[in-house]
């Protein structure tokens, strides 16, 4: 009887710990204004470099909005800048830049990054609002990255 009680008590504390860890896992990406973007510029960076063949401009507003909808709801937490830069350098990265028009001198209103392993990185709280510390997905979403690449017909 005491063994069963101890086992039940252990399971209870394990479940409570698991639930509290899940509830403290951070926040969720929310993009209030998805109609601001008229252009989506995607660029792949391989080995710290990119070229014109690894870039694509998308002007279909329905697709742009769909991509923003797809990343909304990703669970994120604040990333440590030091380890984040090492992570970015360690693998291929896709940069998704959303804008009214793409001008080189203009600050891009919304950007997120996706690493080849499905890790998503967000540098902004919302449109036109940068963060001091970036947010990184708490899980890898390789399937989501592949779905985005398929929808945008990215062959790089």
């Amino acid at each position: 009887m005491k063994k069963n009680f101890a086992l039940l008590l252990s399971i209870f504390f394990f479940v409570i710990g698991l639930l509290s860890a899940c509830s403290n896992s951070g926040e969720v990406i929310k993009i209030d204004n998805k109609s601001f973007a008229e252009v989506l510029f995607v660029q792949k960076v391989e080995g710290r470099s990119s070229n014109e063949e690894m870039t694509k401009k998308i002007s279909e507003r329905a697709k742009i909005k769909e991509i923003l909808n797809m990343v909304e709801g990703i669970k994120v937490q604040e990333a440590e800048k030091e380890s984040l830069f090492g992570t970015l350098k360690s693998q291929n990265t896709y940069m998704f830049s959303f804008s009214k028009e793409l001008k080189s001198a203009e600050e891009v209103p919304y950007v997120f990054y996706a690493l080849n392993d499905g890790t998503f990185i967000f540098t902004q709280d919302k449109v036109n609002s940068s963060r001091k510390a970036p947010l990184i997905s708490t899980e890898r979403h390789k399937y989501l990255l592949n779905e985005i690449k398929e929808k945008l017909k990215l062959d790089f």
Side-chain angles (χ1 to χ4, degrees):
M1 179 89 168
K2 287 183 181 182
K3 286 183 181 180
N4 288 341
F5 179 75
L7 179 62
L8 286 173
L9 194 58
S10 297
I11 292 172
F12 172 77
F13 284 117
F14 174 77
V15 170
I16 294 297
L18 186 62
L19 290 174
S20 65
C22 290
S23 66
N24 292 332
S25 63
E27 54 190 274
V28 179
I29 293 300
K30 178 128 178 67
I31 306 164
D32 292 328
N33 176 15
K34 295 179 193 81
S35 61
F36 77 95
E38 297 173 6
V39 177
L40 166 57
F41 183 72
V42 182
Q43 183 173 29
K44 183 178 182 182
V45 178
E46 281 183 342
R48 299 184 189 178
S49 66
S50 188
N51 61 44
E52 200 170 311
E53 291 148 3
M54 293 190 296
T55 60
K56 186 171 186 176
K57 179 181 175 181
I58 294 98
S59 300
E60 254 182 84
R61 293 185 91 180
K63 277 191 181 185
I64 294 169
K65 189 174 181 179
E66 185 176 8
I67 300 306
L68 290 169
N69 282 329
M70 290 171 75
V71 299
E72 190 170 49
I74 291 178
K75 291 181 183 176
V76 292
Q77 63 189 11
E78 206 166 272
E80 293 181 25
K81 287 184 181 180
E82 297 79 28
S83 64
L84 181 61
F85 291 121
T87 303
L88 283 169
K89 292 177 185 178
S90 71
Q91 57 183 300
N92 298 336
T93 305
Y94 291 87
M95 179 176 69
F96 297 84
S97 303
F98 299 82
S99 182
K100 286 199 177 278
E101 293 180 20
L102 196 57
K103 297 178 182 175
S104 58
E106 174 184 310
E107 186 175 319
V108 179
Y110 195 77
V111 177
F112 68 83
Y113 303 85
L115 305 182
N116 209 41
D117 70 356
T119 301
F120 282 76
I121 300 168
F122 300 86
T123 57
Q124 294 165 291
D125 281 326
K126 54 188 171 188
V127 176
N128 291 317
S129 176
S130 295
R131 293 185 50 82
K132 288 183 181 178
L135 296 171
I136 189 166
S137 59
T138 57
E139 297 177 15
R140 292 185 178 115
H141 300 278
K142 181 77 173 164
Y143 68 92
L144 179 59
L145 175 58
N146 289 335
E147 190 177 340
I148 290 171
K149 287 168 44 178
E150 186 178 310
K151 286 197 182 298
L152 297 177
K153 297 180 178 152
L154 300 178
D155 56 359
F156 50 84

